[in-house]
């Protein structure tokens, strides 16, 4: 199997590379702004996901068996909303199986929980971009596996960085007590995504942990796990903003039944 990982220099992309190379797969990885680290078993290639010509040329030349799109630029509509469409069109042309990483940001948080049958109703520009991407990849390449996930932890993630800086007093701000998500460990998420490269997996999948926690609850767990002070500043997002969804409980039960990878909850991997 030839695997193409798009957005391979990011937090999730890096873990995908680590796990994919351990299984002996032939891996090509793309980078855009970050300089990649040399690896003897990875072929790196630059790619601007906003360019349909670059995307088409790469995929029709490489002809990968499977593609994982792990690229993420929250404030860039062309990359987030339109880029996946370029991938889907080229993948459909060559017959490659596409796994597109989406987000729980496609939901408003107004429902008690969201399973794979729930329809997107985003409140933020990022959520709207992710929802648009889901629509376009499904239209252009109907057998795409769309994997919605939540807050990604592990390997010193951005959220863990923030908790450490707040605990040490090296930054200002607060952690929200009313902003709930279902965190997932990056190792579990990467393993699950690699399972989804099997063409038998199509349609919507939810890949999140089973524990819904507020940003503040999660921060306390992280601080305790790292031996840091657990008295962390708190605030309510509903009062201080920015506007956006509050409680998003992503229900991954249906997807979990189909996978061998266990998606652990934050209370499990931070104990």
């Amino acid at each position: 199997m030839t695997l193409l990982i798009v957005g391979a220099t990011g937090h999730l992309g890096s873990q995908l590379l680590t796990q994919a190379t351990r299984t002996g797969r032939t891996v090509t990885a793309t980078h855009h702004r970050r300089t990649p680290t040399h690896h003897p078993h990875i072929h790196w290639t630059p790619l601007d996901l906003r360019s349909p010509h670059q995307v088409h040329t790469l995929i029709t030349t490489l002809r990968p068996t499977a593609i994982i799109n792990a690229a993420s630029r929250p404030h860039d509509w062309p990359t987030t909303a339109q880029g996946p469409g370029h991938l889907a069109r080229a993948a459909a042309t060559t017959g490659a199986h596409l796994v597109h990483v989406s987000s729980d940001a496609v939901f408003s948080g107004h429902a008690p929980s969201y399973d794979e049958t729930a329809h997107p109703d985003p409140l933020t520009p990022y959520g709207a971009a992710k929802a648009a991407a889901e629509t376009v990849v499904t239209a252009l390449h109907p057998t795409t596996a769309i994997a919605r996930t939540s807050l990604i932890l592990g390997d010193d993630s951005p959220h863990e960085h923030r908790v450490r800086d707040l605990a040490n007093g090296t930054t200002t701000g607060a952690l929200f007590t009313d902003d709930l998500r279902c965190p997932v460990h990056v190792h579990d998420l990467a393993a699950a995504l690699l399972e989804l490269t099997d063409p038998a997996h199509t349609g919507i999948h939810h890949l999140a942990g089973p524990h819904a926690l507020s940003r503040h609850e999660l921060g306390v767990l992280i601080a305790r796990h790292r031996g840091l002070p657990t008295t962390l500043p708190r605030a309510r997002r509903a009062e201080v903003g920015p506007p956006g969804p509050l409680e998003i409980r992503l229900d991954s039960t249906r997807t979990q039944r189909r996978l061998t990878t266990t998606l652990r909850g934050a209370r499990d991997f931070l104990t």
Side-chain angles (χ1 to χ4, degrees):
M1 170 187 278
T2 301
L3 176 63
L4 173 64
I5 299 177
V6 178
T9 57
H11 181 219
L12 174 58
S14 298
Q15 181 56 214
L16 283 167
L17 285 182
T18 298
Q19 294 192 27
T21 53
R22 283 177 185 162
T23 64
R25 302 191 196 205
T26 301
V27 180
T28 295
T30 76
H31 63 94
H32 184 209
R33 292 188 174 181
R34 297 181 185 174
T35 302
T37 303
H38 174 72
H39 192 292
H41 302 296
I42 299 170
H43 172 66
W44 286 98
T45 183
L47 179 68
D48 187 343
L49 199 55
R50 298 169 296 183
S51 168
H53 174 71
Q54 284 190 31
V55 171
H56 178 80
T57 299
L58 172 62
I59 292 177
T60 55
T61 301
L62 180 65
R63 302 191 78 84
T65 309
I67 304 165
I68 300 178
N69 177 29
S72 178
R73 297 187 65 189
H75 304 293
D76 185 339
W77 179 274
T79 297
T80 305
Q82 298 171 336
H86 306 326
L87 284 174
R89 182 178 288 107
T93 299
T94 62
H97 181 54
L98 176 61
V99 179
H100 171 68
V101 181
S102 190
S103 167
D104 59 5
V106 301
F107 297 121
S108 66
H110 294 156
S113 66
Y114 296 90
D115 66 11
E116 289 85 348
T117 65
H119 297 294
D121 58 343
L123 295 180
T124 65
Y126 175 63
K130 281 294 192 180
E134 289 187 9
T135 300
V136 72
V137 299
T138 301
L140 295 174
H141 196 9
T143 59
T144 294
I146 295 173
R148 295 177 182 143
T149 190
S150 190
L151 189 61
I152 305 173
L153 300 181
D155 292 352
D156 216 16
S157 66
H159 188 73
E160 288 164 287
H161 265 290
R162 178 163 172 75
V163 170
R164 181 195 61 200
D165 291 343
L166 286 169
N168 291 332
T170 57
T171 190
T172 58
L175 298 174
F176 295 129
T177 59
D178 60 343
D179 186 337
L180 275 68
R181 297 295 185 273
C182 294
V184 63
H185 198 287
V186 68
H187 293 189
D188 302 343
L189 177 57
L193 289 169
L194 289 170
E195 283 197 61
L196 293 182
T197 59
D198 183 330
H201 295 292
T202 64
I204 302 293
H205 298 77
H206 283 184
L207 301 178
H211 302 155
L213 298 104
S214 72
R215 302 267 180 168
H216 186 270
E217 288 177 295
L218 184 59
V220 171
L221 285 179
I222 292 169
R224 184 179 295 125
H225 185 68
R226 290 174 171 247
L228 298 169
T230 58
T231 306
L232 301 168
R234 61 176 69 198
R236 288 178 53 80
R237 182 172 182 171
E239 296 173 354
V240 301
L246 295 178
E247 301 183 11
I248 302 183
R249 294 174 172 85
L250 209 61
D251 183 351
S252 304
T253 306
R254 180 177 301 182
T255 297
Q256 180 67 90
R257 292 196 196 104
R258 301 184 62 192
L259 301 178
T260 60
T261 300
T262 298
L263 301 168
R264 296 168 292 165
R267 292 193 183 95
D268 297 325
F269 61 74
L270 290 174
T271 298

